[in-house]
Amino acid sequence: MSAGSLFARYAYPPNALGYCGPPDPKALVDAGSAGAKAEDLVSVARRFSGAWPYLELIAASNGIADPLDTRVVAAYWVGSKLLEGIPAASLLHAIGKHPESGLGAASQLQAAAMAGGVAHHSFHVLAVYPWLALLRSGKQEPAMTVLDRCRIRWGRVEEVEGANVIVRSRPLGFDGRDLVLLDERVEQACCSVDGVGFVEDLSPGDLVSLHWDWVCDRLDPDALAYLQHFTARNLHAVNTTTPAG
């Protein structure tokens, strides 16, 4: 799979909702398609201000010249060994490049990074954005929904219903202080809309990754293990922070 296709399938769901990236989601799909120019993909990917500094960090930390190398993109969205060994100070420096970095308390960001946080998409969702702080202050929504849906999560296909699938997955919950993974439940996820889709020929039993309401990719056992591992690490990191107030 090309880096463009891999980046697009994970970045498209929030982009289509207007949460990040360029205003026209078709630009992302076109840039990630086969035969697209590399400079077009770079131009679009740089406009995802949440993802780009992490891609630069992962690439630089592993001696990879291209932040859109497939290995780097996979490490950010799903996870891989490339995330191991990146110093907390480097992670904090990368976070400082985010327009969103001022939303969360600096002391809590530092604490989460020092507690084992890693340069994975889940860190941005759980630690950089202020949603956990809002939960702890008693503001349940939209914080809980965004935390659960914006993270990359995993699930197993139960049924295929045309352009949608029924997936069994573990939602994120909140116990009054910490974020926790709850017991499995079933949910409906989208495979394609108006000709845009990323995974074909799904069958019951397939393991998949999800972002917002979309199926992004099939997961092999190694990818599933990495996604679960780095999600757990970042949950632990943010749960060690002291609630503000």
Side-chain angles (χ1 to χ4, degrees), residues 34-126:
K37 296 179 180 178
E39 56 265 32
D40 291 341
L41 176 61
V42 172
S43 176
V44 172
R46 282 181 176 274
R47 299 179 70 180
F48 286 83
S49 60
W52 187 254
Y54 290 98
L55 298 175
E56 290 185 314
L57 170 63
I58 297 166
S61 299
N62 288 278
I64 298 173
D66 182 8
L68 287 172
D69 184 290
T70 303
R71 295 168 295 172
V72 174
V73 175
Y76 173 66
W77 292 116
V78 178
S80 78
K81 292 181 180 179
L82 297 186
L83 301 184
E84 300 288 2
I86 297 177
S90 297
L91 176 57
L92 288 168
H93 178 71
I95 290 169
K97 300 178 183 179
H98 287 289
E100 302 94 342
S101 62
L103 295 175
S107 61
Q108 294 190 45
L109 278 174
Q110 183 172 4
M114 297 301 294
V118 288
H120 185 259
H121 178 66
S122 58
F123 189 85
H124 193 69
V125 175
L126 302 175

Side-chain angles (χ1 to χ4, degrees), residues 82-167:
L82 297 186
L83 301 184
E84 300 288 2
I86 297 177
S90 297
L91 176 57
L92 288 168
H93 178 71
I95 290 169
K97 300 178 183 179
H98 287 289
E100 302 94 342
S101 62
L103 295 175
S107 61
Q108 294 190 45
L109 278 174
Q110 183 172 4
M114 297 301 294
V118 288
H120 185 259
H121 178 66
S122 58
F123 189 85
H124 193 69
V125 175
L126 302 175
V128 175
Y129 288 129
W131 301 117
L132 177 55
L134 289 171
L135 278 178
R136 286 171 170 170
S137 71
K139 298 175 181 177
Q140 184 78 11
E141 293 296 342
M144 193 70 253
T145 296
V146 176
L147 284 165
D148 184 47
R149 311 306 284 180
C150 190
R151 70 189 176 98
I152 308 301
R153 57 200 192 281
W154 57 92
R156 187 180 298 275
V157 175
E158 297 263 303
E159 300 177 39
V160 180
E161 300 178 341
N164 299 307
V165 293
I166 303 300
V167 180

